[in-house]
Amino acid sequence: MDKKLLSIKNLKKNFLIQNKILKAVDDVSFDIIKGKTFAIVGESGCGKSSIANMIANLIKPTSGQILFENRSIFKNDNELKKNIQMIFQDPYLSLNPKMKISEIILEPIKIHKKFKKEKELNLLTSLLNQVNLSSTIAKRYPHELSGGQRQRIAIARSIALNPKFIICDEPLSSLDISTSSQIISLLKNLQQNLNLSYLFISHNLAVVKYISQNAAVMYLGKFLELAPSSKLFLNPLHPYTQALISASFSFKKKNNDKVILKNEIPSPLNPPKGCLFSTRCPYAKNECFEIRPALKEVEKDHQVACHLVKTPSN
Ligand SMILES: Nc1ncnc2c1ncn2[C@@H]1O[C@H](COP(=O)(O)OP(=O)(O)OP(=O)(O)O)[C@@H](O)[C@H]1O
Ligand SMILES: [Mg+2]
């Protein structure tokens, strides 16, 4: 049996903007399995980072639960803080420019553990080794490094405390293609060697297909489809997932198989009344504009929120 590391239940985050409620995350539930990767994909502004920031305890949810090994993460628990780490999209912004690489990587150790100098230096060398960087880099400053090297430093820092879980919020978006693929391989190798679990956030479906075992497709604060990645990519059921996949892997598809999206993504301050995707869905019927479909299991572990996808019971 796969073991749950994290359980996210009915998570909501509202922001108040000009006296209107913006539902950035609207009743999202999912589990993250030990040693595996859960991916969230979706267009800009759909709520991915809001989920990441709540799990990292950087912002407070409006409601809902986040359990890490069955304990709420909202308790101010040092053990939890060590076990949940995060890497961000832009390693230019996430690394303090005034600190040397050695100080950046060892900062979590200085905060949480009191190691002797020699043990610190050994750890520093080992961490740099694990992210395939030479230890000569330790004396340098972030601005002296390339984007890929900087992201490796952020990764080295994130594993310094031997965490069980790392949130990767678009860790490849600021990198070129060849550097991206090196960083993905590094994340995969570290996952295997250290039995890490990841929450991996991305716009890029090819990357998600490669790196994740489970994935959710998010739109205007809600999950529209949630499934093991193999099922999601082989048999996408929601028209939005189909559209994202056909846009990403279009070279493999014949033109008449493509799902083309009409209209723009609606404002999250004024979402459609019925299905959130109804204004762009090529198949929308009357009920889609009136009634919001719930996320329902249509086959084992495969959930979809769409009136047009029939569940086994109907
Ligand atoms: N601190 C905040 N105050 C007000 N609104 C916010 C705040 N943070 C996020 N939002 C809004 O919440 C929604 C979700 O934002 P979020 O950053 O989670 O999206 P995202 O999916 O990570 O987008 P991107 O792909 O661009 O990073 C957006 O409409 C955003 O404008
Ligand atoms: Mg984001």
Side-chain angles (χ1 to χ4, degrees):
M1 252 293 270
D2 287 337
K3 286 206 178 128
K4 279 183 212 169
L5 183 70
L6 271 130
S7 226
I8 285 87
K9 294 182 183 166
N10 307 108
L11 194 62
K12 294 189 183 184
K13 180 70 194 178
N14 295 341
F15 292 109
L16 197 62
I17 295 183
Q18 295 152 4
N19 287 326
K20 284 191 93 176
I21 290 176
L22 184 152
K23 294 183 174 184
V25 177
D26 188 10
D27 201 4
V28 159
S29 301
F30 61 103
D31 294 328
I32 299 178
I33 307 300
K34 279 189 182 156
K36 308 271 191 228
T37 299
F38 186 98
I40 303 178
V41 286
E43 286 166 275
S44 187
C46 70
K48 305 179 296 296
S49 295
S50 299
I51 293 182
N53 293 338
M54 285 189 275
I55 299 177
N57 223 340
L58 299 174
I59 59 170
K60 292 266 165 280
T62 303
S63 61
Q65 274 189 315
I66 303 173
L67 303 176
F68 185 92
E69 294 183 324
N70 283 323
R71 282 185 300 165
S72 170
I73 65 149
F74 307 125
K75 301 206 170 81
N76 202 6
D77 176 334
N78 257 337
E79 210 41 46
L80 267 177
K81 279 189 193 153
K82 285 186 229 165
N83 269 319
I84 302 181
Q85 298 292 324
M86 190 158 177
I87 54 175
F88 297 89
Q89 170 171 350
D90 196 337
Y92 292 72
L93 297 176
S94 63
L95 305 182
N96 185 338
K98 292 191 181 131
M99 284 166 80
K100 277 190 196 153
I101 299 306
S102 55
E103 293 168 324
I104 290 173
I105 295 180
L106 290 174
E107 191 182 33
I109 295 289
K110 293 210 191 287
I111 295 171
H112 289 278
K113 302 199 170 172
K114 299 279 170 271
F115 281 180
K116 293 221 167 81
K117 197 94 210 135
E118 189 188 342
K119 196 167 175 190
E120 267 186 15
L121 284 179
N122 288 342
L123 180 67
L124 179 64
T125 312
S126 149
L127 289 168
L128 285 168
N129 241 321
Q130 289 183 76
V131 297
N132 305 324
L133 288 174
S134 141
S135 44
T136 55
I137 223 167
K139 295 191 196 77
R140 293 160 71 182
Y141 286 88
H143 74 267
E144 299 175 82
L145 309 185
S146 70
Q149 286 173 326
R150 261 185 274 230
Q151 201 54 295
R152 285 174 198 272
I153 299 297
I155 294 170
R157 178 188 156 99
S158 78
I159 58 172
L161 291 166
N162 217 356
K164 294 182 180 171
F165 176 59
I166 301 181
I167 300 165
C168 310
D169 188 356
E170 311 231 24
L172 312 171
S173 320
S174 63
L175 308 174
D176 62 50
I177 292 174
S178 79
T179 312
S180 286
S181 55
Q182 291 167 15
I183 297 290
I184 299 172
S185 306
L186 173 65
L187 288 170
K188 269 209 148 185
N189 289 339
L190 290 173
Q191 178 165 49
Q192 284 204 326
N193 298 341
L194 307 174
N195 195 29
L196 288 166
S197 309
Y198 293 139
L199 172 64
F200 194 93
I201 290 172
S202 181
H203 286 104
N204 186 326
L205 271 85
V207 170
V208 166
K209 187 178 178 194
Y210 177 71
I211 201 161
S212 69
Q213 287 74 39
N214 294 289
V217 176
M218 198 170 182
Y219 191 80
L220 291 176
K222 278 193 169 293
F223 284 175
L224 298 186
E225 187 158 5
L226 174 67
S229 309
S230 51
K231 285 188 187 170
L232 194 78
F233 286 96
L234 204 64
N235 184 25
L237 295 175
H238 199 287
Y240 181 56
T241 316
Q242 292 168 358
L244 289 180
I245 290 178
S246 66
S248 299
F249 304 96
S250 54
F251 54 93
K252 287 186 194 148
K253 289 254 179 190
K254 283 189 246 115
N255 264 343
N256 52 6
D257 287 346
K258 272 197 187 174
V259 183
I260 309 288
L261 291 184
K262 51 181 185 178
N263 303 333
E264 292 292 307
I265 192 161
S267 159
L269 279 170
N270 191 18
K273 174 182 166 207
C275 172
L276 290 170
F277 187 57
S278 56
T279 55
R280 297 170 83 193
C281 181
Y283 314 115
K285 303 211 171 12
N286 286 345
E287 69 170 332
C288 305
F289 294 102
E290 296 299 327
I291 303 163
R292 178 86 44 92
L295 198 61
K296 283 194 209 129
E297 191 161 74
V298 287
E299 55 175 331
K300 191 175 178 310
D301 299 330
H302 192 162
Q303 299 177 51
V304 187
C306 176
H307 290 307
L308 307 172
V309 177
K310 295 299 164 206
T311 52
S313 57
N314 55 36

